[in-house]
Amino acid sequence: MSETKFIYGFRKKWIDLQVAIRLYINAFAYFGFLKAFEEIKNYFKDSRCLFKTNPNRYVIADGEIIAVPDMPPVNSKDFIENVLRDIEWINHSKQPQLVFAIVCITSKCPFKCKYCYNSDLHTQEERLSIETIIATIESLIEKGITSIYLSGGEPMMRWNDLTKILQKFRTSKTRFWLLSTGYQLSIEKLSILKDLGLKGVMISLDSINAEQIDSVKGTPKAFSYATEAIKAANRTGLLVAIDCVFGKTLLQGKDFKNFIDFAGQQGAHFINCYTPRQMHHVLNDEYSSFNLSDFKQLEKLTTENQKLSDYKNLPITYSPDLWEAKRGCVGGKLFIYIDPAGNVKPCPFIEKSFGSINDSDILRILNNIYVNNDKHECMINKLLTNHMK
């Protein structure tokens, strides 16, 4: 098992230089020699440029250098190809390439999280057959998606089918992640999943306060499930990200740093900071909706984490909401979401379905999204794009 660690300082700058050289070389072939310089220059001037959010460190695991879980490794051919397509999107408004998909493989979940965005779809019976799931993933890979997140419900509730899915795509270069509460994620099971090609796990955890986590997730073992799974995944050699619904307490600088320190001690490499959403339950107090001042504080904290040397050996934080504030909603453009019932949506927070994989081919549904997607945008993205660009 190779060691997973952070890269920073001169070594990180050397990698960035290599990426720039590879980008120019490939841009010459993609755009033509003279046009390549102009395209890259215009791209780097734009605030939406991917490199504008480049942290001061990367994570290296199994020879792959990772800046953010959603993107391919920065030292891969797929990463450069994604940047070239991003240049066409930003510079010329061309249809972007889908990069990743969240595929819910089960309707079952042992928890009752108050902020869950699909709790109304949880059932005791599965709504998607294993054959439908596999056929859909095959089409997504054919479409060029480089990362697929297997979610639920709780995907460990469908263990046998989970292993079948990974076995089926074991030789694919598509990167598979598991989105989980940490339920039943032992070292033994994680080792099996890694051997089947799993690249990493994203574990839900919002606080170092066990009582708070157990309460919001509706089970007395939620905190221990999450923390033990993070430690086990790290020991197994998997990439480890934490999906954090960012409560108001974490907006305090000291509490934010304590959470980052704790996450690092458990073995996390990345933290995705999601702001609370009022979905199927009314969330008050700790998980109440953010105002502009809250978002600006979150931006300050995540920027410090990405740039200051004090954090160089600690997990890298990102806020999808703040990232989209500059680029606009990327749901249905860079990623899609398939819920436990098979409904295909631009993202989990848009209620409208553009079709179901139980009734239609995923590629046909994706075309429907491309044609009609601009008509749908969540309230948080509207707030941020209007005030924080």
Side-chain angles (χ1 to χ4, degrees):
M1 181 180 69
S2 63
E3 183 183 3
T4 302
K5 59 184 179 181
F6 294 96
I7 296 174
Y8 46 81
F10 176 80
R11 189 179 179 192
K12 195 263 182 182
K13 291 179 180 178
W14 174 243
I15 291 169
D16 287 342
L17 177 60
Q18 291 176 308
V19 170
I21 292 171
R22 288 170 48 233
L23 177 59
Y24 271 101
I25 290 173
N26 284 270
F28 294 152
Y30 198 82
F31 297 112
F33 186 80
L34 294 178
K35 190 178 180 184
F37 289 100
E38 181 182 359
E39 292 288 350
I40 293 176
K41 180 184 71 173
N42 291 338
Y43 181 64
F44 273 83
K45 284 182 178 179
D46 198 292
S47 62
R48 296 169 292 174
C49 171
L50 288 173
F51 298 98
K52 292 291 179 71
T53 54
N54 192 12
N56 69 350
R57 60 203 184 279
Y58 295 137
V59 174
I60 182 168
D62 295 325
E64 295 182 333
I65 300 170
I66 315 296
V68 58
D70 295 339
M71 292 288 289
V74 298
N75 58 337
S76 69
K77 179 181 177 182
D78 284 337
F79 178 80
I80 297 299
E81 290 179 351
N82 271 274
V83 174
L84 292 174
R85 287 192 288 265
D86 201 58
I87 290 174
E88 288 195 308
W89 179 27
I90 298 303
N91 290 356
H92 304 289
S93 299
K94 289 191 176 181
Q95 177 65 47
Q97 167 67 41
L98 284 172
V99 177
F100 68 96
I102 301 173
V103 181
C104 295
I105 66 170
T106 179
S107 301
K108 300 177 182 179
C109 187
F111 293 173
K112 299 183 182 298
C113 303
K114 295 177 182 178
Y115 45 58
C116 180
Y117 46 72
N118 64 25
S119 59
D120 61 329
L121 296 175
H122 292 172
T123 63
Q124 295 303 310
E125 301 296 328
E126 299 296 1
R127 301 185 180 198
L128 296 174
S129 70
I130 183 65
E131 293 79 14
T132 297
I133 294 170
I134 286 176
T136 298
I137 292 175
E138 285 177 332
S139 294
L140 292 175
I141 292 174
E142 176 187 330
K143 191 69 176 174
I145 281 180
T146 55
S147 294
I148 292 179
Y149 296 89
L150 302 176
S151 184
E154 167 52 59
M156 290 298 289
M157 298 288 285
R158 201 170 180 177
W159 170 255
N160 290 336
D161 286 339
L162 172 60
T163 58
K164 288 178 183 177
I165 292 167
L166 291 174
Q167 178 66 51
K168 172 69 177 179
F169 299 102
R170 190 172 189 172
T171 59
S172 168
K173 65 177 184 178
T174 301
R175 303 167 63 78
F176 282 84
W177 288 73
L178 193 70
L179 298 184
S180 174
T181 60
Y183 180 74
Q184 293 189 348
L185 276 179
S186 63
I187 288 181
E188 292 75 21
K189 288 189 173 182
L190 285 164
S191 296
I192 292 171
L193 296 177
K194 187 174 190 296
D195 288 343
L196 291 173
L198 188 73
K199 288 293 182 181
V201 296
M202 288 190 171
I203 306 297
S204 174
L205 183 67
D206 318 323
S207 171
I208 63 176
N209 184 326
E211 184 178 348
Q212 174 186 326
I213 297 302
D214 292 349
S215 174
V216 77
K217 292 184 178 297
T219 176
K221 295 184 178 180
F223 182 81
S224 61
Y225 276 134
T227 53
E228 291 303 313
I230 292 167
K231 288 184 283 190
N234 180 277
R235 289 174 60 187
T236 309
L238 289 162
L239 289 167
V240 184
I242 290 176
D243 278 348
C244 173
V245 178
F246 217 81
K248 293 298 182 72
T249 299
L250 291 182
L251 288 174
Q252 308 303 316
K254 182 179 179 180
D255 291 288
F256 175 81
K257 183 63 164 58
N258 287 341
F259 181 71
I260 303 300
D261 287 339
F262 178 81
Q265 291 166 11
Q266 306 309 299
H269 307 113
F270 300 95
I271 299 176
N272 298 317
C273 304
Y274 293 95
T275 54
R277 309 263 181 160
Q278 304 293 330
M279 296 297 289
H280 307 291
H281 303 275
V282 177
L283 302 174
N284 297 314
D285 302 325
E286 178 67 7
Y287 294 102
S288 59
S289 298
F290 276 25
N291 56 36
L292 280 176
S293 177
D294 294 331
F295 278 112
K296 289 178 179 178
Q297 174 65 3
L298 176 59
E299 182 177 41
K300 175 180 179 292
L301 293 172
T302 54
T303 299
E304 288 176 351
N305 168 271
Q306 291 178 9
K307 303 301 181 183
L308 297 182
S309 60
D310 291 351
Y311 290 92
K312 67 182 182 181
N313 284 308
L314 292 172
I316 305 168
T317 61
Y318 289 94
S319 167
D321 292 322
L322 293 172
W323 188 72
E324 287 186 289
K326 293 183 177 180
R327 294 178 68 98
C329 178
V330 299
K333 299 179 177 72
L334 296 185
F335 80 97
I336 60 158
Y337 173 70
I338 302 175
D339 75 18
N343 299 306
V344 183
K345 304 175 182 179
C347 91
F349 305 112
I350 293 177
E351 295 288 348
K352 177 179 171 58
S353 169
F354 285 81
S356 170
I357 59 174
N358 274 323
D359 306 320
S360 183
D361 177 73
I362 183 64
L363 298 181
R364 185 176 301 172
I365 298 173
L366 290 179
N367 185 64
N368 186 23
I369 291 178
Y370 294 155
V371 173
N372 298 291
N373 189 37
D374 287 340
K375 300 174 184 177
H376 303 276
E377 186 177 13
C378 68
M379 294 305 297
I380 286 181
N381 193 257
K382 288 180 180 178
L383 172 72
L384 292 177
T385 52
N386 287 336
H387 297 279
M388 294 191 68
K389 276 191 175 182

